[in-house]
Every structure is written in C-alpha cells, then in structure tokens.
Amino acid sequence: MTQPAQVRHFRHEALLYDGIGQFVASVVPFIRDGLEAQEQVLVVVGPAKIEALRAELGSDAGEASFVDMTSLGRNPARLIPAWRRFIEAAPQPRSIRGVGEPIYPDRSPAELVEAQAHETLLNVAFGDTAGLKLWCPYDVGVLPPEVVAEARRSHPIVVAHGGSEAHSESYVPEHPSPARRDEPLAPPPEHAREFTFGSEPGELGIVRGIVWQYAVRAGLSRVCVDSLTVAVNEIATNSQLHGGGRGLLRLWTQDGAVICEVSDAGQIIDAPLLGRTFPPMHQRSGRGLWLVNQLCDLVQVRSGKGGTVIRLHMRGDHA
Amino acid sequence: MTRWPVRIERGCDYVGLVESAARQVGEVDELCGLGPGAHVCCVVRTSDQLELWARRCLQEGALAGQKLFRVISQAHAPAGRHQERHVTVIDPATLSRNGYEPPSADRVFAMYRRESARAREEGFTGMRVVADMRWTLAYPALRPQLAAFELRLDEVIAEVGATLICVYGEGDHAKRDLAEVVAVHPLTGGVPVADAGLRIWNLDRGTWEIAGEVDESNVDLFERALSAALASGPVRRLRCGGLRFISAAGVRALSGVSQAQPGQAVVIQEANPMLRRCWTIFEFDAQLPQVVFEPSASRSEEVAG
C-alpha cells in the first residue's frame, strides 16, 4: 500500500465560488483527489451542501466524513477542537484534507465576526501542523464583498472556481482578527437588565437564580436554560477569582436569543486559543471557558486594560 | 426500608443490592424526636443551653431504651456537676494513642462499634451519645479534617444505628468551620449558622446522598467530603437527586476524587442532566470507566417493580 504524500505545511486556502453548482464542481474533485491519495477527509458544511456532495460522490461519499456546520459550528469556537480531534485520530504519517465553511449567509453579524476570528485562529492553532490541507469555501455570489476581502486577509492562498490557486496579496500573517480581544462589542441595549455581584458566599447562587428565571421567562427550552445557567456561573466565577472579585451581569433578548454579558475589571493576557484547547484530566482550573463554548451558541470575549467583557448567546431551539 | 437492585452497566462486574434504611434528614427542634441512626449537628450559644438540651435528649434516649453516653473532655466537664445516673462519660483523651495526639478517627469509630454492640448485649436498644465537640479545640491540626471525620463517623452511626448529637459552641469555631460540619450531618439543630449550600450524608453502607449546590464557594468542602466518602469499599454510590447545581470545578473534583481511588467503582445515581452533560463534555466518561452513571429511569422502574 502506498503512503499518502504528506503536505509539508498547513495549507489554509479560501475557495471562492458562486452558487451551489460551482461549490459541488470544485469540492467534489478536491475530495476525490484526497480519497485517491488515501488521505483522511473531513467535510464540515451546511446540510444542503452535504446532501449535494454525497449525491455527486456516490459510493465514494462513504470514505469521507461529513459533519453539519450549522450544528458543530453554530458556535465557531467549537470548530478548532473538532479539527484537532480529527487530526489527532488520523494515522501517521498524517495526511488530511478538510473542507470547512464556517461563513455562510445565515450567520448573524455577531456570529460572522466570531467565525472570521475562527478563520484567523486556524492559522495560530495549526500553523505548525504538517499534513493538513484545509479549504474554506466562500460563496461570493451571496456574501458581502467585505467578507470576501476579509477571507483574503486570513487565508494565504485563494483558490478560484476551476482550481487555479494564487497567493493572496492581502494575506496578513499576524492578522488582527476582526474579533480581536481589544475590539469593543456593540453596547448592550438600554432595556438590558443589570445586576452587580461580588464574592460573598451565596452570590453565585443569586446570579444563577437571576439567569435561570430570565431564561425561563424568555421561553428557552429546559436544556438551554440549564446550559446558560451553568455557563454564566463559570464566567461569574472567573470574575470573582480573576476579575477583581466582582462583576456586572447584563441580560437581554435579541433576535430570539437570550444574551448574558458578564463584565469585570480583569484582563485576559495573550491567550488566543483560550477556551478552544481541551483541558487535560489533571488540570484543576481553566475549564470554564471550554465548557461555556460547548454549552452556548456563541461566546464573545473582549478584554483589555479597561477590563473583560464576555457575552454569551443562547437560542431556545436546542432539543 | 427500601431495597432496589443496582445494576452497574460498565466498568466492573459488580452486581449487588443496596439496602437503604430511611435516615432522618433536616432540622430538629431542641434535640427531640430522634430515632436510631440520627446524627445531629447542634450548635449552641451557651453551656446552659447545651446542658438543658442534653438532659432532655438523654431522657428521650432512656425512654427509648438506649444506653446513654456523653463524650466530653475533662477540661469542659462542668465544675461541681454530679454525673448523671446511668450516663457513661467518655473522655476523648482516653481514645488518644499516647495521650497528647488527637484520638485517631479509627479509634473513635471502633469505640462506637464496640459500645453499640455492648449496649445491645446488655439489653439496650442501642446507644445515644451527646458529644461535646469542644474537645477538638485542643487539637488545631484536627480542624481541617473535622468535616471529613464527621462524614466518616456518619457512616458508622448509620451502620450501628446509634443516635449521636455532636454539639458545637457557636463562639468556639470559625463560622466557615461550623458551616462545614453542619454540611456533613443529615440533621441540624440549635442556633442557625451560615449555610455551606451543600449537604452530604451517608444513606446506607457505601451509599452517600448529596444535596444542594456546588460552586466556587464550597467546592473545596465538596472535594474533601467526597474524598472521605469514597475512601473505602470496592463500590461507592453517590445519590445526587438533591444536587441542584454543580459547577465545572465541582465536576472536576468528582473526577479527581474518583481517579484517586484506584480499583473502586463509583456509581452515580439520579444525576441531573447537566452533571451528566458536563461529565461527557470533559470526556471523563472515556477516561474514568470506573465511574458509572446509573440511568434514573431504569432505577425508578426497578423501585416501582
């Protein structure tokens, strides 16, 4: 058996296509080439595209792995850990071909920014990973030009429909993510409810009670209510331990989602993959943000000299 | 008494029966109405209050046919007080190995087992003990271990069916320490003290009930209590039906304590869905196969059947 030829460096490439037809016409040969070279193939795209790819690949589809981006990547912070698991499970010498489309038109503005941050963080997370070639498709027919321009900044190589590759002249190796930590979030609405908390025993219980009641009244499912309560507890605990011992909780609803924001005086220093690295068994602390990313639909972290703001989004449609 | 079969689905081959004697749990007024197996943490404001309640409590024990004991150090024995008739006084110092080290937990537990058996041989229904816990003040090194000691003692009390009232002086211990010892007793009486937000007690041999909420404020207590609860026996069960909330640190504590007990299966019963979900998110289910979550539904069916 011939060993697959290993890509020497991480290849992070943006595929620019226009419409589902071009998507299938570009991605199917990419997948087939990988399968023929005995590479491990993972495709993380929306369900309609998975269906279209499977139909075109026919029996070859069984050799590749498909994951629904709208589920796994609902919170883009869950994508890097998923890629890492796939990479670690691959046989050596590692040769992996991936397709991941974290940016699609249904993303809310907040999700889009975090998905763009994910694209940038891929370079940080896998910059040293040999044997990984990842295509990130962008539908230029429906995505705003500025989103496509951002793709050119976060991907060193741009692939056009038809397969021609070109180095992106806009690529910035030390790319400042659009969701960089010092970039402020849009201010909360005026009707947001506010509660301050400190570090006295019982205060976390009060915070949990406030979140739980608010989420129930907002109509979230029981699973979502409990998940959000656990998540806010973790962030409020961080405020107690690392954020000056006190914090401000704000709650509001927006576009069917409950949003909980916790701000404090602490500062997160230089940890770009915080919450995206699986905490090993023996690790006593540092599990909170990992857990929060697994539980919430979107997590926005902003931190600077003025303090830290963490905004958690939870929609109510989880089973 | 309720009995239900415990099925361990993976991790070990043990299949057995848990017998759960109903234990008294909650608040008691003035140390009255206590049955066999009752283990009370009573916080008193004054020595007079202690003496009044202790007398009533021992009278109730006498009426119930129990052999009566008082555990009290010589230093705290009321001056000039005549020993009550039919009350055996135990000075904890006599349980010390050498007279100056604190009595070891194992010696204390052996005393309860021995005296309980002797009481029954003598025709009593069991033993009733009022323990003046001020003796612990003489051993500062004992302070951080007090909650774990009380928790293991709770298992012994449940096992021998004794009635034990542990009396703590409100002004003798730090508020946090009092909250911790209250948290490891199934029954509480006397002066209200700060609530640790958590309660853990022995339900039956090898089975522990956890109730309340675990977060940053009490996760250290939770971890120490779990370490004590899981310290021995091939299989330990944690009933978590009353555990309303557990933080990531609490889940980690549960995993860490379970990992520290090699060869011991830990069965978690009635876990709420979030505990189960967090356990899976941290991938402890793959790393700790000795920890088994017993499906709540199947247990309910088995109880009903």
CSV table of all heavy atoms in Angstrom, one decimal, chain A residues 85 201-202 204-205 208 223 226-227 229-230 233-234 237 240-241 278-279 281 283-285 287-288 290-291 294-295, chain B residues 176 195 213-217 220 223 245-249 252 255-256 259 273-274 277-278 281-284 287-288:
chain,number,residue,atom,x,y,z
A,85,ARG,N,-9.3,17.1,17.1
A,85,ARG,CA,-9.6,15.7,17.4
A,85,ARG,C,-9.5,14.9,16.1
A,85,ARG,O,-9.0,13.7,16.2
A,85,ARG,CB,-11.1,15.6,17.9
A,85,ARG,CG,-11.2,15.7,19.4
A,85,ARG,CD,-12.6,15.2,19.8
A,85,ARG,NE,-13.7,16.0,19.2
A,85,ARG,CZ,-14.2,17.1,19.7
A,85,ARG,NH1,-13.6,17.6,20.8
A,85,ARG,NH2,-15.2,17.7,19.1
A,201,PRO,N,-20.2,34.5,49.9
A,201,PRO,CA,-20.8,33.2,49.7
A,201,PRO,C,-22.3,33.4,49.4
A,201,PRO,O,-23.0,34.3,50.0
A,201,PRO,CB,-20.7,32.5,51.1
A,201,PRO,CG,-19.5,33.1,51.7
A,201,PRO,CD,-19.5,34.5,51.2
A,202,GLY,N,-22.8,32.7,48.4
A,202,GLY,CA,-24.2,32.8,48.1
A,202,GLY,C,-24.4,33.7,46.9
A,202,GLY,O,-25.5,33.6,46.2
A,204,LEU,N,-23.0,33.7,43.9
A,204,LEU,CA,-23.1,33.0,42.6
A,204,LEU,C,-24.4,32.3,42.5
A,204,LEU,O,-25.0,32.2,41.4
A,204,LEU,CB,-22.0,31.9,42.6
A,204,LEU,CG,-20.6,32.4,42.3
A,204,LEU,CD1,-19.6,31.2,42.4
A,204,LEU,CD2,-20.5,33.0,40.9
A,205,GLY,N,-25.0,31.9,43.6
A,205,GLY,CA,-26.3,31.3,43.6
A,205,GLY,C,-27.4,32.3,43.2
A,205,GLY,O,-28.3,32.0,42.5
A,208,ARG,N,-27.0,32.8,39.5
A,208,ARG,CA,-27.7,31.7,38.8
A,208,ARG,C,-29.2,31.8,38.8
A,208,ARG,O,-29.8,31.5,37.8
A,208,ARG,CB,-27.2,30.3,39.5
A,208,ARG,CG,-25.8,30.0,39.3
A,208,ARG,CD,-25.5,28.5,39.7
A,208,ARG,NE,-25.7,28.2,41.1
A,208,ARG,CZ,-24.8,28.3,42.0
A,208,ARG,NH1,-23.6,28.7,41.7
A,208,ARG,NH2,-25.1,28.0,43.3
A,223,VAL,N,-33.2,22.5,28.5
A,223,VAL,CA,-31.8,22.2,28.3
A,223,VAL,C,-31.0,23.6,28.1
A,223,VAL,O,-29.9,23.7,28.7
A,223,VAL,CB,-31.6,21.4,27.0
A,223,VAL,CG1,-30.2,21.3,26.6
A,223,VAL,CG2,-32.2,20.0,27.2
A,226,ASP,N,-30.8,25.5,31.5
A,226,ASP,CA,-29.7,24.9,32.4
A,226,ASP,C,-28.3,25.1,31.9
A,226,ASP,O,-27.4,25.4,32.6
A,226,ASP,CB,-30.0,23.4,32.6
A,226,ASP,CG,-31.2,23.1,33.4
A,226,ASP,OD1,-31.7,24.0,34.1
A,226,ASP,OD2,-31.7,21.9,33.4
A,227,SER,N,-28.2,25.0,30.6
A,227,SER,CA,-26.9,25.2,30.0
A,227,SER,C,-26.4,26.7,30.2
A,227,SER,O,-25.2,26.9,30.5
A,227,SER,CB,-26.9,24.9,28.5
A,227,SER,OG,-27.2,23.6,28.2
A,229,THR,N,-27.4,28.7,32.5
A,229,THR,CA,-27.1,29.0,33.9
A,229,THR,C,-25.7,28.5,34.3
A,229,THR,O,-25.0,29.1,35.0
A,229,THR,CB,-28.2,28.3,34.8
A,229,THR,OG1,-29.5,28.7,34.3
A,229,THR,CG2,-28.0,28.5,36.2
A,230,VAL,N,-25.4,27.3,33.8
A,230,VAL,CA,-24.0,26.7,34.1
A,230,VAL,C,-23.0,27.6,33.5
A,230,VAL,O,-22.0,28.0,34.1
A,230,VAL,CB,-23.9,25.3,33.6
A,230,VAL,CG1,-22.5,24.8,33.6
A,230,VAL,CG2,-24.8,24.3,34.4
A,233,ASN,N,-22.5,30.9,35.4
A,233,ASN,CA,-21.9,30.7,36.6
A,233,ASN,C,-20.3,30.6,36.4
A,233,ASN,O,-19.6,31.1,37.3
A,233,ASN,CB,-22.4,29.3,37.2
A,233,ASN,CG,-21.7,29.0,38.5
A,233,ASN,OD1,-22.0,29.6,39.6
A,233,ASN,ND2,-20.7,28.1,38.5
A,234,GLU,N,-19.9,29.9,35.4
A,234,GLU,CA,-18.5,29.8,35.1
A,234,GLU,C,-17.8,31.2,34.9
A,234,GLU,O,-16.7,31.5,35.4
A,234,GLU,CB,-18.2,28.9,33.9
A,234,GLU,CG,-18.6,27.5,34.1
A,234,GLU,CD,-17.9,26.8,35.4
A,234,GLU,OE1,-16.7,27.1,35.6
A,234,GLU,OE2,-18.6,26.1,36.1
A,237,THR,N,-17.8,33.2,38.1
A,237,THR,CA,-16.7,32.6,38.9
A,237,THR,C,-15.4,33.2,38.6
A,237,THR,O,-14.6,33.6,39.4
A,237,THR,CB,-16.7,31.1,38.9
A,237,THR,OG1,-18.0,30.6,39.3
A,237,THR,CG2,-15.6,30.5,39.8
A,240,GLN,N,-15.1,36.6,40.0
A,240,GLN,CA,-14.7,36.5,41.4
A,240,GLN,C,-13.2,36.2,41.6
A,240,GLN,O,-12.6,36.8,42.5
A,240,GLN,CB,-15.6,35.4,42.1
A,240,GLN,CG,-17.0,35.8,42.3
A,240,GLN,CD,-17.7,34.7,43.2
A,240,GLN,OE1,-17.2,33.6,43.3
A,240,GLN,NE2,-18.8,35.1,43.8
A,241,LEU,N,-12.7,35.3,40.8
A,241,LEU,CA,-11.4,34.8,41.0
A,241,LEU,C,-10.3,35.7,40.4
A,241,LEU,O,-9.2,35.9,40.9
A,241,LEU,CB,-11.2,33.4,40.5
A,241,LEU,CG,-12.1,32.3,41.3
A,241,LEU,CD1,-11.9,31.0,40.6
A,241,LEU,CD2,-11.7,32.3,42.7
A,278,PHE,N,-8.7,21.7,24.7
A,278,PHE,CA,-9.3,20.8,25.6
A,278,PHE,C,-8.5,20.7,26.9
A,278,PHE,O,-7.3,20.5,26.9
A,278,PHE,CB,-9.4,19.4,25.0
A,278,PHE,CG,-10.1,18.4,25.8
A,278,PHE,CD1,-11.4,18.4,26.1
A,278,PHE,CD2,-9.3,17.4,26.5
A,278,PHE,CE1,-12.0,17.5,26.9
A,278,PHE,CE2,-9.9,16.5,27.3
A,278,PHE,CZ,-11.3,16.5,27.5
A,279,PRO,N,-9.2,20.9,28.1
A,279,PRO,CA,-8.4,20.8,29.3
A,279,PRO,C,-8.1,19.3,29.7
A,279,PRO,O,-9.0,18.5,29.8
A,279,PRO,CB,-9.4,21.4,30.3
A,279,PRO,CG,-10.7,21.2,29.7
A,279,PRO,CD,-10.6,21.2,28.3
A,281,MET,N,-7.1,16.0,31.8
A,281,MET,CA,-7.8,15.5,33.0
A,281,MET,C,-7.2,16.0,34.3
A,281,MET,O,-7.9,16.4,35.2
A,281,MET,CB,-7.5,13.9,33.0
A,281,MET,CG,-8.0,13.2,34.2
A,281,MET,SD,-9.5,12.4,33.8
A,281,MET,CE,-10.0,11.9,35.5
A,283,GLN,N,-5.8,18.9,34.9
A,283,GLN,CA,-5.8,20.3,35.0
A,283,GLN,C,-6.9,20.7,36.0
A,283,GLN,O,-8.1,20.4,35.8
A,283,GLN,CB,-6.1,20.9,33.6
A,283,GLN,CG,-6.0,22.4,33.6
A,283,GLN,CD,-6.2,23.0,32.2
A,283,GLN,OE1,-5.4,22.6,31.3
A,283,GLN,NE2,-7.1,23.8,32.0
A,284,ARG,N,-6.5,21.5,37.0
A,284,ARG,CA,-7.5,21.8,38.1
A,284,ARG,C,-8.4,23.0,37.7
A,284,ARG,O,-9.6,23.0,38.0
A,284,ARG,CB,-6.8,22.1,39.4
A,284,ARG,CG,-6.3,20.9,40.1
A,284,ARG,CD,-5.7,21.3,41.5
A,284,ARG,NE,-6.8,21.6,42.4
A,284,ARG,CZ,-7.4,20.7,43.1
A,284,ARG,NH1,-7.1,19.4,43.0
A,284,ARG,NH2,-8.4,21.0,43.9
A,285,SER,N,-7.8,24.0,37.0
A,285,SER,CA,-8.6,25.2,36.6
A,285,SER,C,-8.5,25.4,35.1
A,285,SER,O,-7.9,24.6,34.4
A,285,SER,CB,-8.0,26.4,37.4
A,285,SER,OG,-6.7,26.6,37.0
A,287,ARG,N,-11.1,25.3,33.1
A,287,ARG,CA,-12.1,24.5,32.3
A,287,ARG,C,-13.3,25.3,31.9
A,287,ARG,O,-14.1,24.9,31.1
A,287,ARG,CB,-12.6,23.4,33.2
A,287,ARG,CG,-11.6,22.4,33.5
A,287,ARG,CD,-12.1,21.2,34.4
A,287,ARG,NE,-11.0,20.3,34.6
A,287,ARG,CZ,-10.7,19.4,33.7
A,287,ARG,NH1,-11.4,19.2,32.6
A,287,ARG,NH2,-9.7,18.6,33.9
A,288,GLY,N,-13.5,26.5,32.6
A,288,GLY,CA,-14.8,27.2,32.5
A,288,GLY,C,-15.1,27.7,31.1
A,288,GLY,O,-16.2,27.4,30.5
A,290,TRP,N,-13.9,26.6,28.2
A,290,TRP,CA,-14.1,25.4,27.4
A,290,TRP,C,-15.5,25.0,27.5
A,290,TRP,O,-16.2,24.7,26.5
A,290,TRP,CB,-13.1,24.3,27.8
A,290,TRP,CG,-13.4,23.0,27.1
A,290,TRP,CD1,-14.3,22.0,27.6
A,290,TRP,CD2,-13.0,22.5,25.8
A,290,TRP,NE1,-14.4,21.0,26.7
A,290,TRP,CE2,-13.6,21.3,25.6
A,290,TRP,CE3,-12.1,23.1,24.8
A,290,TRP,CZ2,-13.4,20.5,24.4
A,290,TRP,CZ3,-11.9,22.3,23.7
A,290,TRP,CH2,-12.5,21.1,23.5
A,291,LEU,N,-16.0,24.8,28.7
A,291,LEU,CA,-17.3,24.3,29.0
A,291,LEU,C,-18.3,25.3,28.4
A,291,LEU,O,-19.3,24.9,27.7
A,291,LEU,CB,-17.6,24.2,30.5
A,291,LEU,CG,-18.9,23.7,30.9
A,291,LEU,CD1,-19.2,22.3,30.4
A,291,LEU,CD2,-19.1,23.7,32.5
A,294,GLN,N,-18.8,24.9,24.8
A,294,GLN,CA,-19.5,23.7,24.4
A,294,GLN,C,-21.0,23.9,24.7
A,294,GLN,O,-21.8,23.3,24.0
A,294,GLN,CB,-19.0,22.5,25.2
A,294,GLN,CG,-17.5,22.2,25.1
A,294,GLN,CD,-17.0,22.2,23.7
A,294,GLN,OE1,-17.6,21.5,22.8
A,294,GLN,NE2,-16.0,23.0,23.4
A,295,LEU,N,-21.4,24.8,25.6
A,295,LEU,CA,-22.8,24.9,26.0
A,295,LEU,C,-23.5,26.0,25.2
A,295,LEU,O,-24.7,25.9,25.0
A,295,LEU,CB,-22.9,25.2,27.5
A,295,LEU,CG,-22.4,24.1,28.4
A,295,LEU,CD1,-22.5,24.5,29.9
A,295,LEU,CD2,-23.2,22.8,28.3
B,176,ARG,N,-17.0,29.5,59.1
B,176,ARG,CA,-16.9,28.7,58.0
B,176,ARG,C,-16.7,27.2,58.4
B,176,ARG,O,-17.3,26.3,57.8
B,176,ARG,CB,-15.6,29.1,57.2
B,176,ARG,CG,-15.4,28.4,55.9
B,176,ARG,CD,-14.1,28.8,55.2
B,176,ARG,NE,-13.9,28.0,54.0
B,176,ARG,CZ,-14.4,28.2,52.8
B,176,ARG,NH1,-15.2,29.2,52.7
B,176,ARG,NH2,-14.1,27.4,51.8
B,195,ASP,N,-24.9,28.8,56.0
B,195,ASP,CA,-25.2,27.6,55.2
B,195,ASP,C,-24.1,27.4,54.1
B,195,ASP,O,-23.8,28.3,53.4
B,195,ASP,CB,-26.6,27.8,54.5
B,195,ASP,CG,-27.0,26.5,53.7
B,195,ASP,OD1,-26.3,25.5,53.8
B,195,ASP,OD2,-28.0,26.6,53.0
B,213,GLU,N,-26.1,22.7,46.2
B,213,GLU,CA,-25.4,23.3,45.0
B,213,GLU,C,-23.9,23.3,45.3
B,213,GLU,O,-23.5,23.7,46.4
B,213,GLU,CB,-25.9,24.7,44.8
B,213,GLU,CG,-27.5,24.7,44.6
B,213,GLU,CD,-28.0,26.0,44.1
B,213,GLU,OE1,-27.3,27.0,44.1
B,213,GLU,OE2,-29.2,26.0,43.7
B,214,VAL,N,-23.1,23.0,44.3
B,214,VAL,CA,-21.7,23.0,44.4
B,214,VAL,C,-21.1,24.1,43.5
B,214,VAL,O,-21.4,24.0,42.2
B,214,VAL,CB,-21.0,21.7,44.0
B,214,VAL,CG1,-19.5,21.8,44.1
B,214,VAL,CG2,-21.5,20.6,44.9
B,215,ASP,N,-20.5,25.1,44.0
B,215,ASP,CA,-19.8,26.1,43.2
B,215,ASP,C,-18.5,26.5,43.9
B,215,ASP,O,-18.0,25.8,44.8
B,215,ASP,CB,-20.8,27.3,42.9
B,215,ASP,CG,-21.2,28.0,44.2
B,215,ASP,OD1,-20.5,27.9,45.2
B,215,ASP,OD2,-22.2,28.8,44.2
B,216,GLU,N,-18.0,27.6,43.4
B,216,GLU,CA,-16.7,28.0,43.9
B,216,GLU,C,-16.6,28.2,45.4
B,216,GLU,O,-15.6,28.0,46.1
B,216,GLU,CB,-16.2,29.3,43.2
B,216,GLU,CG,-14.8,29.6,43.4
B,216,GLU,CD,-13.8,28.6,42.8
B,216,GLU,OE1,-14.2,27.9,41.8
B,216,GLU,OE2,-12.7,28.4,43.4
B,217,SER,N,-17.8,28.5,46.0
B,217,SER,CA,-17.8,28.8,47.5
B,217,SER,C,-17.6,27.6,48.3
B,217,SER,O,-17.3,27.7,49.5
B,217,SER,CB,-19.1,29.6,47.8
B,217,SER,OG,-20.2,28.7,47.7
B,220,ASP,N,-14.2,23.2,47.7
B,220,ASP,CA,-13.1,22.6,48.5
B,220,ASP,C,-13.8,21.6,49.5
B,220,ASP,O,-13.3,20.5,49.7
B,220,ASP,CB,-12.3,23.6,49.2
B,220,ASP,CG,-11.5,24.4,48.3
B,220,ASP,OD1,-11.3,24.0,47.1
B,220,ASP,OD2,-11.0,25.5,48.7
B,223,GLU,N,-14.9,18.5,47.7
B,223,GLU,CA,-13.9,17.6,47.3
B,223,GLU,C,-13.4,16.8,48.5
B,223,GLU,O,-13.1,15.6,48.5
B,223,GLU,CB,-12.7,18.4,46.7
B,223,GLU,CG,-11.6,17.5,46.1
B,223,GLU,CD,-10.7,18.3,45.2
B,223,GLU,OE1,-10.7,19.5,45.1
B,223,GLU,OE2,-10.0,17.6,44.4
B,245,PHE,N,-27.3,21.8,41.5
B,245,PHE,CA,-26.3,22.5,40.6
B,245,PHE,C,-24.9,22.1,40.9
B,245,PHE,O,-24.6,21.8,42.1
B,245,PHE,CB,-26.4,24.0,40.8
B,245,PHE,CG,-25.4,24.8,39.9
B,245,PHE,CD1,-25.7,25.1,38.6
B,245,PHE,CD2,-24.1,25.1,40.4
B,245,PHE,CE1,-24.8,25.7,37.8
B,245,PHE,CE2,-23.2,25.8,39.6
B,245,PHE,CZ,-23.5,26.1,38.3
B,246,ILE,N,-24.1,21.9,39.9
B,246,ILE,CA,-22.7,21.6,40.1
B,246,ILE,C,-21.9,22.4,39.0
B,246,ILE,O,-22.2,22.3,37.8
B,246,ILE,CB,-22.4,20.1,40.1
B,246,ILE,CG1,-20.9,19.8,40.4
B,246,ILE,CG2,-22.8,19.4,38.8
B,246,ILE,CD1,-20.6,18.4,40.8
B,247,SER,N,-20.8,23.0,39.5
B,247,SER,CA,-20.0,23.8,38.5
B,247,SER,C,-19.0,23.0,37.9
B,247,SER,O,-18.8,21.8,38.3
B,247,SER,CB,-19.3,25.0,39.3
B,247,SER,OG,-18.4,24.4,40.2
B,248,ALA,N,-18.2,23.5,36.9
B,248,ALA,CA,-17.1,22.8,36.3
B,248,ALA,C,-16.1,22.3,37.3
B,248,ALA,O,-15.6,21.2,37.2
B,248,ALA,CB,-16.5,23.7,35.2
B,249,ALA,N,-15.8,23.2,38.3
B,249,ALA,CA,-14.8,22.8,39.3
B,249,ALA,C,-15.4,21.6,40.2
B,249,ALA,O,-14.6,20.8,40.6
B,249,ALA,CB,-14.5,24.0,40.2
B,252,ARG,N,-15.0,18.6,38.1
B,252,ARG,CA,-13.6,18.2,38.1
B,252,ARG,C,-13.2,17.5,39.4
B,252,ARG,O,-12.5,16.5,39.5
B,252,ARG,CB,-12.7,19.3,37.9
B,252,ARG,CG,-11.2,18.9,37.6
B,252,ARG,CD,-10.2,19.9,38.3
B,252,ARG,NE,-10.4,19.9,39.7
B,252,ARG,CZ,-9.9,19.0,40.5
B,252,ARG,NH1,-9.2,17.9,40.0
B,252,ARG,NH2,-10.0,19.1,41.8
B,255,SER,N,-14.4,14.0,39.4
B,255,SER,CA,-13.5,13.2,38.6
B,255,SER,C,-12.2,12.9,39.3
B,255,SER,O,-11.6,11.8,39.3
B,255,SER,CB,-13.2,13.8,37.3
B,255,SER,OG,-12.3,14.9,37.4
B,256,GLY,N,-11.6,14.0,39.9
B,256,GLY,CA,-10.3,13.8,40.6
B,256,GLY,C,-10.4,12.8,41.8
B,256,GLY,O,-9.5,12.0,41.9
B,259,GLN,N,-10.7,9.3,40.5
B,259,GLN,CA,-9.5,8.9,39.9
B,259,GLN,C,-8.5,8.4,41.0
B,259,GLN,O,-7.7,7.5,40.8
B,259,GLN,CB,-8.8,9.9,39.0
B,259,GLN,CG,-7.7,9.4,38.2
B,259,GLN,CD,-7.0,10.6,37.4
B,259,GLN,OE1,-7.0,11.7,37.9
B,259,GLN,NE2,-6.4,10.3,36.3
B,273,PRO,N,-29.3,16.1,34.4
B,273,PRO,CA,-28.8,16.0,33.1
B,273,PRO,C,-27.5,16.9,32.9
B,273,PRO,O,-26.7,16.6,32.1
B,273,PRO,CB,-30.0,16.5,32.2
B,273,PRO,CG,-31.2,16.3,33.0
B,273,PRO,CD,-30.7,16.4,34.5
B,274,MET,N,-27.4,18.0,33.6
B,274,MET,CA,-26.3,18.9,33.3
B,274,MET,C,-25.0,18.3,33.9
B,274,MET,O,-23.9,18.5,33.3
B,274,MET,CB,-26.5,20.3,34.0
B,274,MET,CG,-27.4,21.2,33.2
B,274,MET,SD,-27.0,21.3,31.4
B,274,MET,CE,-25.4,22.1,31.5
B,277,ARG,N,-24.0,15.9,31.3
B,277,ARG,CA,-23.6,16.5,30.1
B,277,ARG,C,-22.1,17.1,30.3
B,277,ARG,O,-21.3,16.9,29.4
B,277,ARG,CB,-24.5,17.6,29.7
B,277,ARG,CG,-24.2,18.2,28.4
B,277,ARG,CD,-25.3,19.1,27.9
B,277,ARG,NE,-24.9,19.7,26.6
B,277,ARG,CZ,-25.4,20.8,26.1
B,277,ARG,NH1,-26.3,21.5,26.8
B,277,ARG,NH2,-25.0,21.3,25.0
B,278,CYS,N,-21.9,17.7,31.5
B,278,CYS,CA,-20.6,18.3,31.7
B,278,CYS,C,-19.6,17.1,31.8
B,278,CYS,O,-18.4,17.3,31.3
B,278,CYS,CB,-20.6,19.1,33.0
B,278,CYS,SG,-21.5,20.6,32.9
B,281,ILE,N,-18.8,16.3,28.3
B,281,ILE,CA,-18.0,17.4,27.6
B,281,ILE,C,-16.6,17.3,28.0
B,281,ILE,O,-15.7,17.5,27.2
B,281,ILE,CB,-18.6,18.7,28.0
B,281,ILE,CG1,-20.0,18.9,27.2
B,281,ILE,CG2,-17.7,19.9,27.7
B,281,ILE,CD1,-20.8,20.2,27.6
B,282,PHE,N,-16.3,17.0,29.3
B,282,PHE,CA,-14.9,16.9,29.7
B,282,PHE,C,-14.3,15.5,29.4
B,282,PHE,O,-13.1,15.3,29.8
B,282,PHE,CB,-14.8,17.2,31.2
B,282,PHE,CG,-15.1,18.6,31.6
B,282,PHE,CD1,-15.9,19.0,32.6
B,282,PHE,CD2,-14.4,19.7,30.9
B,282,PHE,CE1,-16.2,20.3,33.0
B,282,PHE,CE2,-14.7,21.0,31.2
B,282,PHE,CZ,-15.6,21.3,32.3
B,283,GLU,N,-15.1,14.7,28.8
B,283,GLU,CA,-14.6,13.4,28.3
B,283,GLU,C,-14.2,12.5,29.5
B,283,GLU,O,-13.3,11.6,29.4
B,283,GLU,CB,-13.5,13.5,27.3
B,283,GLU,CG,-14.0,14.2,26.0
B,283,GLU,CD,-13.0,14.3,24.9
B,283,GLU,OE1,-11.9,13.6,25.0
B,283,GLU,OE2,-13.2,15.0,23.9
B,284,PHE,N,-14.8,12.7,30.7
B,284,PHE,CA,-14.4,11.9,31.8
B,284,PHE,C,-15.0,10.5,31.7
B,284,PHE,O,-14.5,9.5,32.2
B,284,PHE,CB,-15.0,12.5,33.1
B,284,PHE,CG,-14.3,13.8,33.5
B,284,PHE,CD1,-15.0,14.8,34.1
B,284,PHE,CD2,-12.9,13.9,33.3
B,284,PHE,CE1,-14.3,16.0,34.5
B,284,PHE,CE2,-12.2,15.1,33.7
B,284,PHE,CZ,-12.9,16.1,34.3
B,287,GLN,N,-12.4,8.6,30.1
B,287,GLN,CA,-11.1,8.4,30.9
B,287,GLN,C,-11.3,7.7,32.3
B,287,GLN,O,-10.4,7.3,32.9
B,287,GLN,CB,-10.6,9.8,31.2
B,287,GLN,CG,-10.2,10.6,29.9
B,287,GLN,CD,-9.8,12.0,30.1
B,287,GLN,OE1,-8.7,12.3,30.7
B,287,GLN,NE2,-10.6,12.9,29.7
B,288,LEU,N,-12.6,7.7,32.7
B,288,LEU,CA,-12.8,7.1,34.0
B,288,LEU,C,-14.0,6.1,33.9
B,288,LEU,O,-15.1,6.3,34.4
B,288,LEU,CB,-13.2,8.2,35.0
B,288,LEU,CG,-12.2,9.3,35.4
B,288,LEU,CD1,-12.8,10.4,36.2
B,288,LEU,CD2,-11.1,8.6,36.2
